[in-house]
Amino acid sequence: MQEKLLRIFKDNFLRGVTTLASGTIIGQILVIIASPFLSRIYPVESFGNLAIFTSVTAFLAVVSTGRYELAVGLPKSKEDSYKIIKLIVIIGFAVSSIYLLLIIVLKYILKVLDKDLFLSQNIYYLAPFYIFSVAVFSALNYWKQRQKAYKTITIATTLQIISTTLTSLILGFFNVKSGLILSLMIGILVGILYHVLTERTIVKNVIKQNEVKSVALQYSSFPKYMTFSDLSLVASQQFIPIIFSLLYSTTIVGFFSMANRIIRIPNIVITSAISNVFRNEAIDAIRINGNCKDLYLSTMKKLIFLSLPAYLFLFLTSKFLFSWIFGKQWYVAGEYSQIISVFLFFEFIATPLSSIYYIRGKQKLLMKLQLLNAVLGFIMIVTGYLIFSDAYMSLVFFAISASVFNIILIFNSYKISKTNDSV
């Protein structure tokens, strides 16, 4: 058993994962330490507003890149990668500008105001700028992944999380009600600034590119299939706060937001790092062997080894831990986290392995699966509302749907990994 564990943790794949994950681990430790203070500084409704803000911006952030960031590592020449980055910046600026104009039209011309969502508070004017910043940060991260500069990505991610958390605490201390949202913007800007300072030539190299239309057409399958596909995935993951705010209340959204914020920490720390490394290693394995079946199975075993103890522990203890750490008023969040931990276990395994869909050009299949997941997830949440009028039961029904979806993702991605073909 000891020799098996040593083999698992000595290979190059896991060293890359460890490098990427280490920064996120440091940042998430800070999040865990800060959360008991944040839960007492900010009211439940502030976490609800944060959840709605991040849900809408996450949805539009997918559109703001056209999913071209997934193609940054594919071209053989750096020049083509620079062109893709410039294309992402152009798309991000256009989408953010249109969204800002839409907010102005809805609020001041059509006089559309709502109680819980974006148009009722001026802080949401920050959303278009945040969406553009996310597009730029994502493009820079994928550029560094192409270079396998995992240490740089780690530091950028660490700085982003640390600055976000510290700013939240400081603004909360001074009773800035929108501090949780403002801190997101500051964090993403810090991450971008670090990337630029560590490679100052990248701005010049990106700006001087002219023929972006050629790469836009060459990798058109990403916006054509992956934009809609990932919108469906984001809708199923991020639009729960919006649906809950419509069916229930902002307070319920706040409980869900805190539960999701804490219980997703294992996913945030590990899956992104594994996905980034798996993508690069899978491309290399396919170029050499024609398939990546062995790498796929090895990665899946590591994911199960890492996720099962973590989510079993959270499932058994979350109700007690939330009340003890964050205060008795957060007991409901502990109940929600118990349900969330079930489908996050399967998501932990499925998410990194789903990179194979992009590598193998199976974006259309993934789009169909994620669209089906989003529709079924919405139906399950509404079903819980119609039958029980209870947010807990809505979440239970959603967890069942999400778990089945991730099992299907794993099954299909394994079949794709066995296909013999070159990249």
Side-chain angles (χ1 to χ4, degrees):
M1 180 66 179
Q2 185 177 1
E3 291 180 1
K4 184 176 181 181
L5 290 177
L6 286 173
R7 285 200 305 270
I8 289 175
F9 288 100
K10 278 186 176 181
D11 60 46
N12 292 329
F13 177 90
L14 203 61
R15 278 200 292 271
V17 171
T18 303
T19 302
L20 277 176
S22 59
T24 310
I25 290 171
I26 295 171
Q28 291 304 316
I29 288 173
L30 182 59
V31 169
I32 293 172
I33 295 172
S35 290
F37 299 99
L38 293 173
S39 65
R40 290 166 173 81
I41 293 174
Y42 293 97
V44 177
E45 290 76 12
S46 292
F47 286 92
N49 288 330
L50 173 66
I52 295 169
F53 180 91
T54 53
S55 293
V56 175
T57 53
F59 192 79
L60 291 171
V62 173
V63 182
S64 70
T65 64
R67 304 310 282 154
Y68 276 110
E69 74 271 28
L70 298 171
V72 169
L74 297 181
K76 292 183 178 180
S77 70
K78 288 185 178 180
E79 296 300 314
D80 282 346
S81 291
Y82 288 137
K83 291 176 182 177
I84 294 174
I85 295 173
K86 184 172 183 177
L87 178 63
I88 293 170
V89 173
I90 294 171
I91 296 173
F93 181 79
V95 170
S96 301
S97 300
I98 292 171
Y99 183 56
L100 177 60
L101 180 62
L102 180 62
I103 293 177
I104 295 172
V105 169
L106 290 175
K107 186 169 185 177
Y108 293 106
I109 299 178
L110 300 180
K111 306 293 183 181
V112 176
L113 294 175
D114 51 354
K115 182 180 179 181
D116 293 326
L117 302 182
F118 265 52
L119 301 179
S120 60
Q121 301 182 44
N122 289 330
I123 186 62
Y124 293 125
Y125 282 111
L126 196 63
F129 302 99
Y130 180 72
I131 291 165
F132 175 73
S133 299
V134 169
V136 174
F137 187 65
S138 179
L140 292 174
N141 268 339
Y142 275 88
W143 167 250
K144 294 298 182 180
Q145 287 175 32
R146 174 191 171 89
Q147 298 174 308
K148 296 189 177 183
Y150 299 134
K151 185 176 180 180
T152 301
I153 299 172
T154 296
I155 296 174
T157 302
T158 303
L159 290 175
Q160 179 197 359
I161 297 172
I162 290 175
S163 57
T164 299
T165 305
L166 291 180
T167 305
S168 296
L169 289 169
I170 294 170
L171 295 177
F173 179 79
F174 288 102
N175 296 317
V176 179
K177 293 182 179 180
S178 56
L180 292 173
I181 295 175
L182 284 170
S183 64
L184 284 180
M185 187 73 218
I186 293 172
I188 201 76
L189 290 177
V190 169
I192 292 172
L193 180 62
Y194 177 78
H195 273 312
V196 172
L197 291 177
T198 54
E199 189 178 351
R200 299 189 182 188
T201 58
I202 191 169
V203 176
K204 180 181 177 181
N205 289 332
V206 169
I207 291 175
K208 72 180 183 180
Q209 303 302 319
N210 295 317
E211 296 296 327
V212 297
K213 184 178 179 180
S214 60
V215 294
L217 293 173
Q218 183 178 355
Y219 298 101
S220 60
S221 62
F222 287 94
K224 185 177 180 181
Y225 297 120
M226 293 317 303
T227 298
F228 192 66
S229 172
D230 289 349
L231 282 175
S232 301
L233 179 61
V234 170
S236 65
Q237 293 180 338
Q238 297 289 341
F239 264 34
I240 296 178
I242 294 179
I243 298 172
F244 273 21
S245 70
L246 294 172
L247 299 179
Y248 300 105
S249 68
T250 307
T251 301
I252 292 295
V253 176
F255 286 133
F256 172 80
S257 174
M258 176 60 82
N260 195 50
R261 175 190 180 100
I262 299 300
I263 214 73
R264 275 190 178 273
I265 286 177
N267 280 42
I268 295 171
V269 170
I270 303 296
T271 58
S272 178
I274 292 180
S275 181
N276 294 337
V277 177
F278 175 74
R279 184 185 302 108
N280 287 337
E281 297 294 331
I283 291 173
D284 291 341
I286 292 170
R287 284 172 178 165
I288 296 171
N289 304 317
N291 68 73
C292 60
K293 175 186 173 182
D294 292 341
L295 175 67
Y296 183 99
L297 291 174
S298 173
T299 304
M300 184 170 66
K301 290 176 183 177
K302 292 166 187 172
L303 288 166
I304 295 173
F305 177 83
L306 292 169
S307 62
L308 184 57
Y311 281 110
L312 181 60
F313 173 79
L314 291 171
F315 178 80
L316 295 174
T317 63
S318 56
K319 286 194 287 188
F320 165 74
L321 290 176
F322 270 74
S323 297
W324 179 55
I325 296 174
F326 305 116
K328 293 181 179 179
Q329 71 272 24
W330 291 98
Y331 180 81
V332 175
E335 291 183 320
Y336 291 174
S337 66
Q338 192 174 44
I339 301 303
I340 294 171
S341 66
V342 175
F343 69 82
L344 284 187
F345 165 71
F346 295 104
E347 184 181 303
F348 186 101
I349 300 168
T351 300
L353 299 175
S354 294
S355 297
I356 195 69
Y357 288 94
Y358 309 137
I359 298 169
R360 284 300 197 182
K362 299 294 183 180
Q363 294 94 331
K364 189 174 182 179
L365 172 60
L366 185 58
M367 177 189 70
K368 292 178 179 178
L369 291 173
Q370 290 177 342
L371 176 61
L372 179 62
N373 178 50
V375 173
L376 289 178
F378 175 79
I379 292 173
M380 296 295 257
I381 290 173
V382 174
T383 299
Y385 171 76
L386 294 176
I387 297 177
F388 298 98
S389 296
D390 182 71
Y392 181 85
M393 291 308 300
S394 288
L395 194 57
V396 168
F397 285 162
F398 176 82
I400 295 171
S401 173
S403 297
V404 172
F405 165 72
N406 282 295
I407 291 171
I408 293 172
L409 270 188
I410 295 169
F411 177 76
N412 277 284
S413 59
Y414 174 63
K415 289 174 61 178
I416 295 170
S417 73
K418 296 191 296 180
T419 305
N420 283 290
D421 195 7
S422 59
V423 179

